[in-house]
């Protein structure tokens, strides 16, 4: 399997391209700000043929280049239905002033959905580019935040999880942005993330790759005492 990645834009969001092998069809995951040129470069270098764009969630730093690439390659975009509206109105889930910051830096501030949009629900399976992805709803960072799971029987791993901004190396996605929800994030951590297999590699939306085993052992947000304390605080507020 070929997995290529690079960080892009002012938020250094990780964009991924996944294919069964060089010269094959591929899937583009989370092409954000300044990602289009990098995607085209990787596609040309490995002679890939994009068949779809997947979004882990609707935040601008992960979706900025989706319409450009999906329409340019004539392929659909797949996104959790709860975040679909952010494709055309990304500032609805961003802090005030981000639009001005982008405009001052020469970026566009008007958006529209790509021509072809498909929505995902929890547990949906997608066969794309000869690969089978499982979409897992993981709300909290945004209502439509997702984990994208892919079997990967190499290097001692059982699967790869594209975790978007749900889980990072040593941290989790923030919930203080518009549409963030700390209670739902806690439930995601307690009911979804904790149950992921130790043998899975985690490729996050920002920062370095990690493993589920490492995060369960050392990520402070996944320790039982933290999860219980947060749960009790939530019950008394």
């Amino acid at each position: 399997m070929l997995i290529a990645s690079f960080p892009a834009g002012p938020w250094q969001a990780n964009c991924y391209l996944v294919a069964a092998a060089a010269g094959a069809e591929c899937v583009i995951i989370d092409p954000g700000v300044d990602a289009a040129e990098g995607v085209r470069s990787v596609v040309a270098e490995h002679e890939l043929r994009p068949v779809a764009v997947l979004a882990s969630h609707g935040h601008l730093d992960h979706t900025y280049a989706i319409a450009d690439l999906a329409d340019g390659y004539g392929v659909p975009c797949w996104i959790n239905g709860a975040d679909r509206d952010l494709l055309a109105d990304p500032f609805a889930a961003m802090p005030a002033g981000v639009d001005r910051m982008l405009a001052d830096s020469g970026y566009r501030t008007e958006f529209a959905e790509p021509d072809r949009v498909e929505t995902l629900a929890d547990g949906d399976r997608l066969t794309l580019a000869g690969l089978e992805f499982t979409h897992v709803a993981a709300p909290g960072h945004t209502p439509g935040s997702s984990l994208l799971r892919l079997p990967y029987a190499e290097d001692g791993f059982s699967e790869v999880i594209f975790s978007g901004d749900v889980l990072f190396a040593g941290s989790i996605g923030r919930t203080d942005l518009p549409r963030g929800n700390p209670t739902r994030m806690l439930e995601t951590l307690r009911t979804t993330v904790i149950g992921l297999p130790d043998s899975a590699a985690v490729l996050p939306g920002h920062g370095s790759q990690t493993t589920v085993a490492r995060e369960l052992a050392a990520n402070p947000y996944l320790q039982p005492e933290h999860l219980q304390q947060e749960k009790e605080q939530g019950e008394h507020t």
Side-chain angles (χ1 to χ4, degrees):
M1 186 183 297
L2 170 68
I3 301 177
S5 68
F6 58 91
W11 291 282
Q12 290 290 279
N14 292 328
C15 177
Y16 298 94
L17 289 88
V18 190
E25 295 179 337
C26 76
V27 174
I28 302 164
I29 300 175
D30 282 0
V33 182
D34 289 335
E37 183 177 349
V39 167
R40 295 186 183 108
S41 177
V42 173
V43 165
E45 177 184 355
H46 296 286
E47 300 181 330
L48 301 173
R49 302 186 303 279
V51 296
V53 181
L54 299 182
S56 67
H57 63 295
H59 274 160
L60 182 68
D61 51 331
H62 297 261
T63 65
Y64 184 93
I66 279 182
D68 181 12
L69 292 169
D71 293 348
Y73 286 117
V75 303
C77 159
W78 293 82
I79 188 169
N80 186 304
D83 276 8
R84 176 175 179 167
D85 67 302
L86 296 179
L87 293 173
D89 185 18
F91 299 116
M94 299 296 285
V98 169
D99 53 345
R100 293 191 298 274
M101 181 198 76
L102 288 174
D104 290 346
S105 300
Y107 294 105
R108 76 177 190 277
T109 56
E110 294 184 0
F111 297 87
E113 282 192 354
D115 292 337
R116 299 166 60 191
V117 178
E118 302 288 347
T119 57
L120 292 164
D122 186 41
D124 282 352
R125 292 189 178 186
L126 290 175
T127 300
L128 301 167
L131 306 168
E132 186 173 282
F133 293 85
T134 299
H135 167 265
V136 179
H141 180 64
T142 66
S145 285
S146 307
L147 304 174
L148 300 168
R149 301 177 66 172
L150 176 67
Y152 183 82
E154 300 178 31
D155 304 319
F157 296 113
S158 61
E159 64 180 277
V160 169
I161 301 172
F162 298 93
S163 64
D165 286 2
V166 176
L167 180 65
F168 304 128
S171 190
I172 59 171
R174 59 191 293 186
T175 58
D176 60 334
L177 298 175
R179 299 199 186 182
N181 187 315
T183 300
R184 298 196 75 186
M185 175 63 90
L186 176 61
E187 280 302 301
T188 288
L189 298 178
R190 293 179 61 248
T191 64
T192 300
V193 173
I194 289 295
L196 295 171
D198 288 357
S199 55
V202 177
L203 301 185
H206 300 269
S208 60
Q209 69 182 55
T210 183
T211 66
V212 170
R214 184 179 304 150
E215 298 313 304
L216 292 179
N219 189 319
Y221 295 96
L222 299 182
Q223 302 314 302
E225 59 273 17
H226 175 82
L227 295 176
Q228 182 60 32
Q229 181 181 28
E230 291 294 313
K231 183 175 184 292
E232 292 173 353
Q233 289 178 352
E235 292 172 347
H236 289 88
T237 56

